[in-house]
Amino acid sequence: MQKTPDKEWDQIWVGANIATMAAGAGPYGSIENAALAVKGERIAWIGPAEEGRSVAAAQNLPVQDARGLWMTPGLIDCHTHLVYGGNRVEEFEKRLCGVSYEAIARAGGGIQSTVQATRTASREQLHASAAVRAKRLMSEGVTTIEVKSGYGLELAAERRMLEVARDLAAELPVSVKKTFLGLHALPREFAADRQDFVAQVSGPWLESLAAAGLVDAVDAFCENIAFSLPETERLLQAAAQLGLPAHVHAGQLTDMGAAELAAKWGALSADHLEYLSAAGAHSLAAAGTVAVLLPAAYFTLRQTTPPPVGLLREAGAALAIATDCNPGSSPCTSILLALNMACTLFGLTPEEALSGVTRQAARALGALDDIGTLEVGKRADVAFWRIERPAELCYGMGANPCVDVLYRGALRAH
Amino acid sequence: MQKTPDKEWDQIWVGANIATMAAGAGPYGSIENAALAVKGERIAWIGPAEEGRSVAAAQNLPVQDARGLWMTPGLIDCHTHLVYGGNRVEEFEKRLCGVSYEAIARAGGGIQSTVQATRTASREQLHASAAVRAKRLMSEGVTTIEVKSGYGLELAAERRMLEVARDLAAELPVSVKKTFLGLHALPREFAADRQDFVAQVSGPWLESLAAAGLVDAVDAFCENIAFSLPETERLLQAAAQLGLPAHVHAGQLTDMGAAELAAKWGALSADHLEYLSAAGAHSLAAAGTVAVLLPAAYFTLRQTTPPPVGLLREAGAALAIATDCNPGSSPCTSILLALNMACTLFGLTPEEALSGVTRQAARALGALDDIGTLEVGKRADVAFWRIERPAELCYGMGANPCVDVLYRGALRAH
C-alpha cells in the first residue's frame, strides 16, 4: 500500500472498484472497494476505500461517491487516421452493388480519392469532421488518440493534417499524438519517380515538420502495394537521426519482413500483423516493439487470416488494440467495438484486450511513464464505468457504459 | 404528388432529403429537398419543400428547418430478446480464457444460466436492465422493437417477461411487439418429458398469455439442439387456431426444413437462415414470409456460412435485418452495427439493409400498414440523420448520426 502524501489532495473518489491495469498486479490490477485521490493533474493516492475516507476527512476534503462503478485508465486509441477530407461512403455502396475494386480505382476511388478530398478540404472542414470522430471516441472513455497524417502526401497538406491533429487537443479535453505517415501511398505526381518521393519525405519534409513540433513519431506503410523494405528503412533511419520514434504498418497483406525491420530500428510499434512469422514475433518481443492489432480493419476488409496471437504470446510480445479509424478500411469510431472484435475475431482475452487500449497502447506511444495505468504520479486520466466486471467492456456491442471521464484531473462536461 | 389535405397540419419539417423507403419509388424512395407534415400521430403530407412552405404559410404554421438532414422511417428492430436477467459476461470471458463450452454448460452456463437469472430477477430488475438496452436502440432512431419471451420457460416467468415488454412501451416513447417464444429451450424440470412441455406451451400457457393480451405473435427455436419440426408445428397450429401470427427461428445451425414449415403456416418471418436451400428460399417468397437475417449473432458465434442471400434475392424473398439482442450469442444494442454487418458480412447493399430495418422489418411484424415507410396516413415515426446519403447509416461503425426522432408525431426528448 502506498503511503499517504504530505500535501493535501484536491479530489477523491471512494467506493469504486479500480482496474489499475498495472503490470503484475493480478487480473486487471484490480482493487475492490477502493479510493483514488488526485492532486492537480496527477494521481496522488490509490488505496482502500476506508483509508481514503479517513484521510479525506482529516483533510476536510469532500468525498465523491463512486460505489457501483469501475474506474479504469482513460482509454488510448494508439492507431488512427482521424483527420481526413470527405468519406468513402459512395465507394462502400458501389462495391456492395457489385462494382469492382478496379473500376472504383479507375474512377479515382480508393486512397487516392481521400488524398484528393483531403488536399482540397479547408482547415476548418478537416477540423470539424475530425472533431466529430474524436468526440465519439471520447464518449467511450478515450483520453489519448494517436493521429496519423498520410492523406496529404504533399508537404503543405501533410502539415495541415498534423496542425489539425494538434489543434484538436487544444480544443477538446483529449491528448493527441501526432504521427507523420509520410510513406502511406505514392501520390500521382511522383508516379514516375518514387525514389524522389521517398527522399523528399525522409529528408526536407520530415525535417520541416519536425522543426515545427508537429512530429511525435513517423510511420510507413510497408507492403507490396505501398512501400518496400529499403524505402521504409530510409524513413526510419532519417527519424532515428532526428531522435524521433517510429511506427510501421507491417504484415497487413503479406509478410515482407516489415516487423523485423521495425524491431531492428527499435520502433515503438508494428501495426496490423496478420502476416507474421514466429521469427517476426520474436524480434518484436526482443526489441520491445508493441504489436498493434486492428480488428475493425480486418473485419471491414473481410480478411480470413487473423494475426498469429499464439505466436505473439509465446514470444512475449506486447499486444495493443486500436480502431485504425479511417475512411476506407475501418470507418470505426468505437474503441469498445475494437475490444469486442479483438476478443471475438482474434481470440484475445478481455484482460489482454483491455490492456491493449491502456498499458500496452501507452507503451506503443512511448508514453507509459505518463499514462496507461492508474498508479501514483501518472496523469489523472480515468474512465468511470457502470459495469459489474471489466470484461463487460469487451462483451457488449453498441453499449456504452461510460458514465464519466476525468482528463488531467478534471471531469469532462457531458 | 399527393394532394394537400383539407384539415390543417400540426407540424411541418422542410428542406430535408427524405428516404421514404416506399416500395418501387426508386433508390431508398428518395425525395430531395422535401417536406413532411404531421397531423396528430400521422403523416399528413409529403412533397416538395417549396410547396410545403407555401401551404404552411397559408395555414400560419411555423416551418421547422431540416436542411442538411435526411429523414427516414423510424427504425424497426424486428428480432430481439431484450428482456432477461443477468448477463453472460463471465461466460464470455471464460470461453476466451480457454474454458470449453462443455465445461461452461456443466457449470450451469449457456441459455440455462439466463433462464435461472431471469426466473430469479425481480420485475423491477428485468425492467431496468431492458430499459437501458431499449434506450440504446432508441438513441439510433429505433421506434419499434420486437421483444421475445423465452428465458422464463415457466408460465409465471414467461408472463413477467411479456408484461415487462409491454410496460417498456408504456414508459418509453417506443412501440413494442410482444412475442411468446415458448419453445426456446427445454427447461430442466421437463427434461424427462419434452412432449408434455410442448403441450403445455402450445395449450394452456399460450391460451393464458394470449387471453391477457400479452401475445402479438408466437415463436419457436426449430433446431436439432432445440425443438423438432413436429414440436414447432404444434405451436404454430395452436397459434393459428387463436388467430395469432408466428415467427420461427430457422436454419441457424442446420437446414431441417424449418423455413418450409414457417412458410407452410404463413409465418410472418423465418429468422437466421444461415442454412437454407433454394427450395426453402422459394417457399418463403411464395408465402410472403420475411427472411430475417441476424448478422451480429453470426459474427459473435464466429459462423462461416452466411445466409444464401443470392438464393433469397433470386426467389424474391423479403429480407429484414435485426440485432437479435440477447446475452449469449448477440449482446448487441446497435441497429446501425447490424446494418454494417449485414453489408460487410452478408453482402447486402445499403439499400437492402436499410429496407431491412424499415419496410421489410415492418412486414416481418405484420405492421406494414402502420409503419415502415414514410407515406401519408402512416404513423409519424421518423428518424432525422446528419448524413450526406442514406448508405452512410451502413458505413460507419460506432458513429451515431441520429439527431432527432419523431415518435407518433412527437419529438423525443434528448
Side-chain angles (χ1 to χ4, degrees):
Chain A
M1 196 179 312
Q2 289 113 341
K3 280 199 169 181
T4 53
D6 299 329
K7 297 169 78 179
E8 290 197 349
W9 304 331
D10 293 332
Q11 302 176 85
I12 185 168
W13 284 264
V14 173
N17 298 316
I18 301 183
T20 67
M21 302 311 294
Y28 301 97
S30 289
I31 311 173
E32 299 202 359
N33 192 21
L36 182 147
V38 168
K39 173 78 181 173
E41 294 194 355
R42 298 281 154 184
I43 297 172
W45 184 83
I46 299 176
E50 272 321 304
E51 188 175 345
R53 262 194 203 94
S54 62
V55 179
Q59 295 187 10
N60 273 327
L61 179 66
V63 158
Q64 297 178 75
D65 189 352
R67 283 175 295 181
L69 302 180
W70 276 84
M71 299 166 75
T72 70
L75 305 189
I76 300 165
D77 194 350
C78 69
H79 181 137
T80 86
H81 308 250
L82 199 77
V83 174
Y84 56 84
N87 61 44
R88 302 250 282 279
V89 179
E90 192 172 350
E91 177 182 326
F92 173 84
E93 182 155 33
K94 276 184 182 163
R95 265 195 287 119
L96 289 161
C97 291
V99 181
S100 72
Y101 277 98
E102 292 67 27
I104 288 169
R106 273 199 309 275
I111 192 173
Q112 296 295 347
S113 76
T114 298
V115 170
Q116 186 58 26
T118 303
R119 286 179 174 180
T120 54
S122 71
R123 178 182 304 266
E124 291 68 31
Q125 287 169 328
L126 289 177
H127 185 95
S129 63
V132 169
R133 295 186 279 272
K135 287 176 187 171
R136 288 298 294 178
L137 291 172
M138 292 164 62
S139 73
E140 292 185 346
V142 169
T143 50
T144 298
I145 306 174
E146 187 259 15
V147 179
K148 301 180 194 297
S149 69
Y151 292 122
L153 303 182
E154 60 189 14
L155 180 55
E158 288 288 301
R159 177 182 288 124
R160 193 165 61 235
M161 287 185 73
L162 293 167
E163 288 171 346
V164 167
R166 176 196 64 197
D167 295 346
L168 282 175
E171 184 206 1
L172 300 172
V174 70
S175 283
V176 171
K177 291 282 187 180
K178 305 173 296 297
T179 299
F180 173 46
L181 174 53
L183 300 183
H184 192 198
L186 188 68
R188 288 185 179 145
E189 60 271 25
F190 281 92
D193 193 357
R194 52 185 300 132
Q195 287 320 307
D196 185 36
F197 179 71
V198 174
Q200 293 289 325
V201 164
S202 308
W205 293 18
L206 174 59
E207 285 158 27
S208 162
L209 297 170
L214 291 169
V215 182
D216 296 317
V218 302
D219 197 348
F221 185 16
C222 187
E223 190 55 74
N224 57 13
I225 61 163
F227 293 94
S228 68
L229 287 169
E231 290 164 349
T232 300
E233 186 156 31
R234 182 155 181 184
L235 178 58
L236 296 182
Q237 184 164 30
Q241 281 165 357
L242 294 173
L244 292 170
H247 308 284
V248 178
H249 283 66
Q252 183 181 15
L253 306 172
T254 55
D255 182 5
M256 293 169 50
E260 288 87 336
L261 181 69
K264 172 184 169 187
W265 287 91
L268 288 172
S269 71
D271 303 42
H272 285 288
L273 300 175
E274 276 79 4
Y275 296 85
L276 177 73
S277 66
H282 276 98
S283 62
L284 293 177
T289 298
V290 177
V292 177
L293 309 184
L294 304 168
Y298 173 91
F299 168 84
T300 298
L301 294 175
R302 304 294 297 121
Q303 293 186 263
T304 51
T305 303
V309 169
L311 287 182
L312 287 161
R313 284 178 183 146
E314 283 164 35
L319 300 180
I321 303 295
T323 61
D324 194 13
C325 176
N326 78 70
S329 62
S330 188
C332 175
T333 47
S334 170
I335 196 146
L336 297 182
L337 183 61
L339 290 181
N340 175 273
M341 288 186 163
C343 294
T344 300
L345 298 178
F346 295 167
L348 264 65
T349 68
E351 187 181 0
E352 284 176 325
L354 194 56
S355 300
V357 296
T358 54
R359 183 174 75 251
Q360 307 295 28
R363 194 191 304 270
L365 297 179
L368 185 55
D369 286 349
D370 204 34
I371 56 175
T373 64
L374 297 181
E375 294 180 277
V376 171
K378 288 209 180 182
R379 227 163 69 192
D381 289 359
V382 184
F384 295 74
W385 309 94
R386 190 166 303 284
I387 53 175
E388 290 170 20
R389 52 174 66 216
E392 212 169 320
L393 299 179
C394 304
Y395 162 79
M397 303 162 73
N400 181 9
C402 185
V403 293
D404 265 319
V405 176
L406 203 63
Y407 175 68
R408 294 181 184 273
L411 273 179
R412 276 190 197 151
H414 283 288
Chain B
M1 192 180 309
Q2 288 110 344
K3 278 201 169 177
T4 53
D6 299 330
K7 298 168 75 179
E8 290 199 348
W9 304 330
D10 292 333
Q11 303 175 84
I12 184 167
W13 283 265
V14 173
N17 298 317
I18 300 183
T20 66
M21 303 311 294
Y28 300 98
S30 289
I31 311 173
E32 300 202 358
N33 193 24
L36 183 147
V38 169
K39 173 78 180 173
E41 293 194 355
R42 300 280 153 183
I43 297 172
W45 183 84
I46 299 176
E50 273 321 303
E51 188 176 345
R53 261 195 204 94
S54 61
V55 179
Q59 295 187 7
N60 272 326
L61 178 67
V63 157
Q64 298 178 73
D65 188 352
R67 282 175 297 180
L69 302 180
W70 276 85
M71 298 165 77
T72 69
L75 305 189
I76 299 166
D77 194 351
C78 68
H79 181 138
T80 86
H81 308 250
L82 198 78
V83 174
Y84 56 83
N87 60 43
R88 302 251 281 280
V89 179
E90 193 174 349
E91 178 182 324
F92 174 84
E93 182 155 34
K94 276 184 181 162
R95 265 195 288 120
L96 290 161
C97 290
V99 181
S100 72
Y101 277 98
E102 290 69 26
I104 287 170
R106 272 199 309 275
I111 192 173
Q112 296 295 345
S113 76
T114 297
V115 171
Q116 186 58 27
T118 302
R119 288 178 174 181
T120 54
S122 71
R123 179 182 303 266
E124 291 67 32
Q125 287 169 328
L126 288 178
H127 185 93
S129 63
V132 169
R133 294 186 279 272
K135 287 176 187 170
R136 289 299 291 178
L137 290 173
M138 291 163 62
S139 73
E140 291 185 347
V142 170
T143 49
T144 298
I145 306 175
E146 187 261 13
V147 179
K148 300 179 194 296
S149 69
Y151 292 122
L153 303 183
E154 59 190 14
L155 180 56
E158 289 288 302
R159 177 181 288 125
R160 193 164 62 235
M161 288 183 73
L162 292 167
E163 288 171 346
V164 167
R166 175 196 64 196
D167 295 346
L168 282 174
E171 185 206 2
L172 300 172
V174 71
S175 283
V176 171
K177 290 282 187 179
K178 305 174 296 296
T179 300
F180 174 46
L181 174 54
L183 299 184
H184 193 199
L186 188 68
R188 288 185 180 142
E189 60 271 24
F190 282 91
D193 194 357
R194 53 185 299 132
Q195 286 321 307
D196 185 37
F197 179 71
V198 173
Q200 293 289 323
V201 164
S202 307
W205 293 20
L206 175 58
E207 286 157 27
S208 161
L209 296 170
L214 291 169
V215 183
D216 296 318
V218 302
D219 198 350
F221 185 15
C222 187
E223 190 56 73
N224 57 14
I225 61 163
F227 293 94
S228 68
L229 287 170
E231 290 163 350
T232 300
E233 187 157 31
R234 182 155 181 181
L235 178 59
L236 296 182
Q237 185 164 28
Q241 280 164 359
L242 293 173
L244 292 170
H247 309 284
V248 178
H249 283 66
Q252 183 181 16
L253 306 172
T254 55
D255 182 4
M256 293 168 49
E260 287 87 338
L261 181 68
K264 172 184 169 187
W265 286 91
L268 289 172
S269 72
D271 302 43
H272 284 291
L273 300 176
E274 276 80 3
Y275 295 87
L276 176 72
S277 66
H282 276 98
S283 60
L284 293 177
T289 297
V290 178
V292 177
L293 309 184
L294 304 168
Y298 173 92
F299 168 84
T300 297
L301 295 175
R302 304 296 294 119
Q303 292 186 262
T304 51
T305 302
V309 169
L311 287 183
L312 288 161
R313 283 179 184 146
E314 283 164 35
L319 300 179
I321 303 295
T323 62
D324 195 13
C325 177
N326 79 69
S329 63
S330 188
C332 176
T333 47
S334 170
I335 196 145
L336 297 182
L337 183 61
L339 290 181
N340 176 272
M341 288 185 164
C343 295
T344 301
L345 298 177
F346 295 164
L348 264 65
T349 68
E351 187 182 0
E352 284 176 323
L354 194 55
S355 300
V357 296
T358 54
R359 184 175 72 251
Q360 308 294 28
R363 193 191 304 270
L365 297 179
L368 185 56
D369 286 350
D370 205 36
I371 55 175
T373 64
L374 297 181
E375 295 180 277
V376 170
K378 289 210 180 183
R379 225 162 71 192
D381 289 359
V382 184
F384 295 74
W385 309 94
R386 191 168 301 286
I387 53 176
E388 290 169 20
R389 52 173 67 215
E392 212 170 321
L393 299 179
C394 304
Y395 162 80
M397 304 162 72
N400 181 10
C402 184
V403 293
D404 264 319
V405 176
L406 203 62
Y407 175 68
R408 295 181 183 273
L411 272 179
R412 276 191 197 150
H414 283 289

